[in-house]
Amino acid sequence: MVACAGLGACTPTFPDAEPLRISIRSDAERSLADASTMPDRRTLARENRIDDLEFSEDRLRELNMMGGPTAYEGEALGSIGPDLLGRDGDDAVPPLSVSLQHVVTRALEHNLALQSARLSPAIAQADVVAADAAFDWVFFADFSWNGVDEPSRVPVFNGVPVGVGASQSQAVQYATGLRKPLTTGGQFTISQGQTYFDDSTPGAAFAPDPSNLANLTVGYSQPLLRNFGSDVALSQVRISRNAERSAIQRTRQAVIDTITETERAYWDLVNAEMSYRILRRSLERGTETRDVLKARLRVDARPSEYSDAQATVERRRSDLIRASNTLRRASDRLKLLMNDPDLPIGSEVVLVPSDMPVEEPLTFSLFDALDTALRMRPDLAQALLAIDDASIRQLVAKNQTLPRLDFSIQAVAQGLDRDISEAYDRIGEGDFINWVVGLNFEQALGNRFAEAGMRRAQLQRMQSVIDYQSVRESAVDQVVASLRSVQEQYQLIEQTRVERVAAAENLRTLLALERTIADLDANFLNLKLTRQDNLARAELSEIRALADYNLAVAEFYRATGEAAARNRVDVIVPDAGE
């Protein structure tokens, strides 16, 4: 039916699938046509815009200490405000540093959605066993007792009654045997049994009485048209096996999704933590500037200018409060995905990242990425399995349009004696054998029900092929879109870094000027607040670009179906018996 290489993509192999296989290959070649003209791998590149600023190494080092990811290295996170239990400052629970590898590992071990998905293949495997069990040997046994005591009419000839006016007897009967449905659609039966009969009718005599009638029965029945053959008899087994394969693919998809969503949550946590640090430093700088302006109220500062500075500081404080909540929510989101028993979601422990975003350029080939996606994506494998299921149902529906013509044959060997052992011995002599050979024919006039089922199955197979094409095109689109995002974010890192360095230089020159000016006027201090804002915004843009680049890379590996392999994760499917 469907040949699967490990957990990779599946190729339909049902009897009439060659045209479809050719069509699938042709469509895949069209998807890869443009990319195949340049299959070589290339590394992302971008223009070095920092050099355009023409800053010395010492100057760049100084500017990077004023702002940017490296400006906060070694700086403790400190308090992020009261938690839901009112703890803050020294009473607060210390933040817990976690690495990306650690959180991904814990999520793969404990994530509830993934734990549920891992059970699906075992459930489907149980369904396969249940479907295959339809062809197991079945033992059966029947027992009955029949007591007769009834009046009967007596014929009279020339005034003389002939016979007796009552019938009295008892019969005890049992039969045991084995029955096995066959993969051809037929059934084989073998059984043995005994009937004990004791007639006590007044005035009547039989020999032998009581008697034992033993029998051995062998029977075979086989549909010759409708329901004939393994295509029909094994259809449910094959569909159940496809369901098991599909469940494995769903588990692979759940693993990929868990890895990617955990990475997303981690980089969101990185962004939230760095944003909190940036906004806190901006608040500290603003507070210092506001205090200087407050001291100049009696010199040259106007109350309105001080009010503007105070408003700026309070706005930054509001931004910091929001950033604190964002950090806690990002931490909670990561704890929810991890479901770590040591870090319950209800705890007030704040997770902080120990890994910073990397900006190593991705090396890739569009052709390899698309080819890998077509081979590795679980949703494509599931779509192919759906085609196979539809084809199986079409074969069954086609068979159901045939007339019913069933052949049956039965042989019954019997032995009769007063003694039960003698009765069974007489069976072996083969003196008494009954044969029954039969043919049963049936055909619905018009055959509309079967024809409608056939048409429905044909349309469902056509629909499954279209669905596969839709999934394939969506997969190609996701790979292309993810690579465009990777390229965009890689370039944005440089752009936002240039913006941040330029903003830091603007603030640095102002600070240098501040040290040489004896009297600072209010306009100068307001300009300082503005440049502090500009630097903070540039820093936030840069850390967001770095986090988004790492997330875009993770999404790229999800799009190609390689997220699990990239993290060296094997999908282990629980057995139905575990």
Side-chain angles (χ1 to χ4, degrees):
M1 282 291 136
V2 172
C4 296
L7 294 177
C10 302
T11 303
T13 58
F14 36 81
D16 59 344
E18 186 58 29
L20 180 58
R21 288 199 297 270
I22 294 174
S23 175
I24 290 175
R25 285 196 299 267
S26 177
D27 288 344
E29 289 169 358
R30 281 198 296 272
S31 298
L32 299 172
D34 193 28
S36 64
T37 60
M38 299 181 65
D40 296 337
R41 298 172 65 83
R42 70 181 189 86
T43 302
L44 286 176
R46 66 190 178 199
E47 185 180 355
N48 188 343
R49 302 296 304 278
I50 293 290
D51 291 345
D52 294 344
L53 299 176
E54 298 181 352
F55 291 147
S56 65
E57 290 294 328
D58 291 338
R59 177 62 57 79
L60 282 175
R61 193 176 301 109
E62 180 183 1
L63 297 177
N64 286 332
M65 291 301 296
M66 291 181 62
T70 59
Y72 303 90
E73 292 179 353
E75 180 181 298
L77 179 62
S79 173
I80 60 172
D83 61 19
L84 295 179
L85 301 178
R87 295 174 298 193
D88 194 8
D90 295 338
D91 296 331
V93 179
L96 178 65
S97 178
V98 291
S99 68
L100 176 61
Q101 181 180 2
H102 173 78
V103 299
V104 169
T105 300
R106 300 302 278 177
L108 290 173
E109 291 175 355
H110 300 292
N111 182 270
L112 291 176
L114 184 54
Q115 289 184 47
S116 176
R118 282 199 179 105
L119 295 177
S120 296
I123 295 172
Q125 186 184 49
D127 291 338
V128 173
V129 174
D132 196 51
F135 301 95
D136 289 350
W137 285 94
V138 176
F139 172 79
F140 63 89
D142 299 316
F143 175 84
S144 65
W145 174 83
N146 185 24
V148 178
D149 187 1
E150 60 184 22
S152 60
R153 295 186 303 168
V154 179
V156 178
F157 297 95
N158 296 323
V160 179
V162 179
V164 296
S167 177
Q168 296 175 342
S169 66
Q170 64 172 337
V172 179
Q173 185 176 21
Y174 84 90
T176 61
L178 294 171
R179 180 170 57 244
K180 180 177 176 57
L182 305 175
T183 58
T184 60
Q187 180 172 274
F188 174 77
T189 304
I190 181 170
S191 64
Q192 66 85 30
Q194 172 203 349
T195 300
Y196 170 81
F197 189 81
D198 183 7
D199 193 299
S200 55
T201 301
F206 298 89
D209 186 27
S211 65
N212 286 283
L213 177 66
N215 65 78
L216 176 65
T217 303
V218 178
Y220 170 72
S221 62
Q222 175 63 54
L224 300 179
L225 294 176
R226 187 193 306 170
N227 297 324
F228 171 79
S230 61
D231 285 341
V232 177
L234 294 175
S235 61
Q236 190 55 52
V237 175
R238 289 166 175 165
I239 288 175
S240 297
R241 286 174 180 165
N242 280 352
E244 180 186 16
R245 296 182 181 114
S246 184
I248 293 173
Q249 297 302 326
R250 287 196 301 274
T251 302
R252 286 189 63 235
Q253 188 64 61
V255 169
I256 291 171
D257 290 343
T258 299
I259 291 172
T260 306
E261 291 306 312
T262 303
E263 289 193 54
R264 176 188 294 277
Y266 190 86
W267 297 126
D268 284 344
L269 181 67
V270 169
N271 181 68
E273 189 221 12
M274 288 300 300
S275 296
Y276 181 82
R277 292 178 182 273
I278 292 167
L279 293 172
R280 184 177 61 186
R281 180 175 292 187
S282 178
L283 175 61
E284 292 169 354
R285 287 169 172 166
T287 302
E288 179 184 353
T289 303
R290 180 207 59 187
D291 292 343
V292 172
L293 194 59
K294 181 179 181 180
R296 300 189 64 84
L297 278 173
R298 298 181 180 179
V299 182
D300 56 357
R302 293 189 296 269
S304 61
E305 293 171 332
Y306 172 74
S307 297
D308 285 343
Q310 181 67 23
T312 298
V313 169
E314 295 308 318
R315 173 179 54 78
R316 293 182 187 181
R317 195 183 308 278
S318 298
D319 291 341
L320 188 63
I321 292 173
R322 295 188 184 95
S324 172
N325 183 62
T326 300
L327 176 56
R328 290 187 184 276
R329 289 297 300 140
S331 172
D332 291 343
R333 170 63 178 162
L334 190 55
K335 285 190 286 186
L336 182 63
L337 286 168
M338 292 168 60
N339 192 40
D340 192 328
D342 297 329
L343 291 170
I345 185 63
S347 71
E348 286 297 280
V349 176
V350 176
L351 303 180
V352 293
S354 61
D355 295 333
M356 289 299 294
V358 297
E359 54 178 299
E360 180 180 354
L362 180 69
T363 299
F364 69 94
S365 161
L366 177 59
F367 176 82
D368 289 346
L370 292 175
D371 181 64
T372 300
L374 294 178
R375 290 185 292 104
M376 295 290 292
R377 282 181 61 113
D379 53 349
L380 281 168
Q382 287 180 265
L384 284 171
L385 288 167
I387 295 176
D388 197 32
D389 284 346
S391 298
I392 293 171
R393 294 188 178 98
Q394 182 179 340
L395 288 174
V396 173
K398 182 178 180 180
N399 175 271
Q400 295 303 299
T401 62
L402 299 174
R404 177 184 172 188
L405 181 61
D406 297 344
F407 168 78
S408 63
I409 183 171
Q410 184 181 74
V412 182
Q414 295 179 323
L416 178 66
D417 201 277
R418 186 181 187 89
D419 185 79
I420 181 61
S421 61
E422 290 295 329
Y424 274 105
D425 288 342
R426 292 183 183 278
I427 292 177
E429 295 174 1
D431 292 336
F432 302 98
I433 300 178
N434 294 336
W435 290 89
V436 179
V437 179
L439 284 174
N440 295 317
F441 179 83
E442 180 183 285
Q443 173 64 33
L445 298 180
N447 208 23
R448 293 194 304 159
F449 182 82
E451 293 292 342
M454 176 62 181
R455 180 58 178 163
R456 180 177 63 249
Q458 289 174 331
L459 294 173
Q460 287 175 337
R461 180 181 172 184
M462 292 171 60
Q463 186 180 53
S464 68
V465 173
I466 294 172
D467 289 344
Y468 168 78
Q469 293 170 338
S470 176
V471 173
R472 186 196 63 236
E473 292 304 304
S474 177
V476 171
D477 177 68
Q478 290 175 23
V479 171
V480 172
S482 65
L483 279 175
R484 294 194 195 283
S485 180
V486 168
Q487 189 174 44
E488 174 193 8
Q489 297 304 327
Y490 186 66
Q491 293 173 345
L492 282 176
I493 292 173
E494 184 70 8
Q495 291 298 121
T496 55
R497 179 167 298 152
V498 172
E499 180 185 357
R500 188 260 303 167
V501 170
E505 173 63 11
N506 286 341
L507 181 59
R508 187 200 67 81
T509 57
L510 203 63
L511 294 175
L513 184 61
E514 183 180 29
R515 290 191 293 268
T516 63
I517 297 177
D519 294 325
L520 301 175
D521 60 19
N523 290 333
F524 182 89
L525 295 176
N526 282 327
L527 178 60
K528 184 178 177 181
L529 288 172
T530 300
R531 292 191 177 181
Q532 290 171 0
D533 279 339
N534 292 340
L535 176 57
R537 281 195 296 269
E539 286 185 277
L540 293 172
S541 295
E542 181 183 12
I543 193 61
R544 182 74 264 178
L546 281 165
D548 285 347
Y549 172 70
N550 284 262
L551 177 57
V553 172
E555 289 289 353
F556 166 69
Y557 284 108
R558 168 152 66 178
T560 60
E562 295 179 289
R566 179 194 180 208
N567 287 271
R568 300 181 180 88
V569 175
D570 294 325
V571 179
I572 300 176
V573 178
D575 185 80
E578 294 181 356

